[in-house]
Amino acid sequence: MEWQSDILGPGFESCAFEAAGPDGVRRRATLVRFTRPAGPDTPDLRSAGPRRAVLFLHGWSDYFFNIELARFWDAQGFEFFALDMHNHGRSLQPGTHGGYVADLENYDAEIGTAAGMVAESGGAGPVQLALMGHSTGGLVAALWASRNPGAVSQLVLNSPWLEMHGSALVRRAAWTMVEPIARLRPEAVLRLPERGFYWRSISSSAEGEWTLDAAYRPPLAFPVRAAWLSAILAGQAKVARGLGIGVPVLVLLSAASENGMVWNEAMRRTDAVLDVNTIAARAMSLGRSVTVERIDGALHDVFLSRADVRSDAYRRLAQWIRGYAA
């Protein structure tokens, strides 16, 4: 592993690597780690008890940039890592389609490799690994945890994209329309309405507070391609059938959604991407021990909401960690 200084500056390092998917294709991913040294005023809780780490998976058309999230997990006694998956963020390559994947299982190899790198990068002894995912990354994380029992000790999902808007009927209808195109022209771009409302609510270039790299997190997201959407629908169908995840699962969601086609001020305090009521119901299909936290005023990424809202979200997450990760 060759760790380099990361774009987030002091305290962060990144390491690019390649992993071969089930189709034999080698894909580039990038692991990021938080490296804050312990000092007299910041005791290192990680030195007490078993070694614990968390691996974060970003959403679609996204990358890891939330320094505050890394510091939170560090304060809880966890080593923090984040993975920019292939065709995203730090792992984008010239001539490739941003955000594209034809099968969500193509992420498995890089997640597994990253988990191995986490285990090797710290001190001696086994590591208890928590997996955290946002939006599409939450769907990917849930499916990976289901396919790899025993690999993680806890699963934290931040507004995971577990189901389409409305109901499973919408998903099945979408599958009927998309699958023939995905089979014949997998990389075909689907002409869907473009909305930048969520980006507008978080970016400091608009009305939010977060500095985003437009190349890594474009305002209108990457083009939607047929095989990508087909892969999402197939993953959601697996969730609907039940994943049987055996470890504790926490699902964090906004209390409300606002999915209109024109901007309105409610989008500053709601999920402007997903149908949170549908997601809350579908979360019960994840496993035997699922906690759902609904957070008033939260955005699609609850940890990018305004300060008082994300403080509430962090308080709830810390409470759950104390209960399930002791």
Side-chain angles (χ1 to χ4, degrees):
M1 291 181 288
E2 296 184 4
W3 294 96
Q4 308 288 336
S5 298
D6 186 65
I7 58 174
L8 294 180
F12 290 88
E13 296 178 332
S14 57
C15 179
F17 64 93
E18 289 189 349
D23 55 2
V25 177
R26 298 188 64 82
R27 298 179 176 89
R28 179 188 177 94
T30 307
L31 187 64
V32 180
R33 69 178 179 183
F34 181 51
T35 60
R36 177 191 63 84
D41 298 325
T42 54
D44 189 355
L45 298 179
R46 297 172 300 182
S47 62
R51 185 176 168 227
R52 302 188 297 179
V54 60
L55 176 62
F56 172 80
L57 306 182
H58 57 77
W60 183 61
S61 289
D62 212 343
Y63 70 110
F64 172 69
F65 60 86
N66 192 337
I67 294 173
E68 185 179 86
L69 181 66
R71 289 174 175 163
F72 165 83
W73 278 102
D74 181 80
Q76 305 303 311
F78 285 73
E79 300 169 39
F80 181 87
F81 297 82
L83 181 66
D84 273 15
M85 295 179 284
H86 73 266
N87 291 342
H88 285 87
R90 298 163 179 82
S91 306
L92 281 168
Q93 297 290 291
T96 59
H97 299 315
Y100 180 72
V101 66
D103 186 333
L104 296 185
E105 290 191 26
N106 288 343
Y107 290 128
D108 284 16
E110 59 208 74
I111 297 172
T113 299
M117 293 169 67
V118 170
E120 294 174 9
S121 68
V127 60
Q128 296 178 3
L129 181 66
L131 187 61
M132 181 179 189
H134 166 60
S135 195
T136 303
L139 173 62
V140 171
L143 293 169
W144 191 84
S146 176
R147 286 193 291 267
N148 295 272
V152 300
S153 54
Q154 299 91 29
L155 181 63
V156 179
L157 305 179
N158 171 8
S159 302
W161 194 14
L162 303 179
E163 185 59 276
M164 297 296 285
H165 291 277
S167 71
L169 294 176
V170 176
R171 169 171 43 80
R172 295 187 189 110
W175 170 267
T176 300
M177 293 184 289
V178 170
E179 181 56 19
I181 304 173
R183 189 169 55 253
L184 298 174
R185 299 174 56 217
E187 298 181 10
V189 174
L190 304 179
R191 303 300 178 183
L192 302 177
E194 294 182 335
R195 304 188 313 155
F197 303 147
Y198 171 58
W199 178 89
R200 176 175 172 177
S201 71
I202 65 173
S203 174
S204 59
S205 297
E207 299 174 44
E209 63 177 277
W210 302 91
T211 301
L212 306 177
D213 188 315
Y216 294 170
R217 203 333 175 166
L220 296 177
F222 296 123
V224 174
R225 299 181 186 276
W228 173 84
L229 183 53
S230 177
I232 296 296
L233 296 170
Q236 291 173 341
K238 291 177 182 177
V239 175
R241 292 193 291 270
L243 295 185
I245 296 171
V247 300
V249 182
L250 173 64
V251 178
L252 298 145
L253 295 167
S254 178
S257 294
E258 187 63 46
N259 302 123
M261 295 305 298
V262 296
W263 169 266
N264 68 73
E265 290 301 304
M267 292 176 178
R268 296 180 186 274
R269 56 184 182 276
T270 56
D271 189 322
V273 179
L274 301 181
D275 180 341
V276 292
N277 291 330
T278 299
I279 302 300
R282 179 60 71 219
M284 296 300 103
S285 301
L286 291 171
R288 296 186 293 273
S289 179
V290 180
T291 302
V292 177
E293 292 280 0
R294 303 290 297 269
I295 301 168
D296 289 333
L299 299 175
H300 175 52
D301 185 334
V302 300
F303 297 109
L304 300 184
S305 307
R306 67 177 190 266
D308 61 316
V309 175
R310 64 181 188 267
S311 177
D312 181 27
Y314 280 123
R315 178 187 60 79
R316 297 180 192 220
L317 176 53
Q319 178 177 279
W320 184 86
I321 290 171
R322 287 195 296 271
Y324 285 103

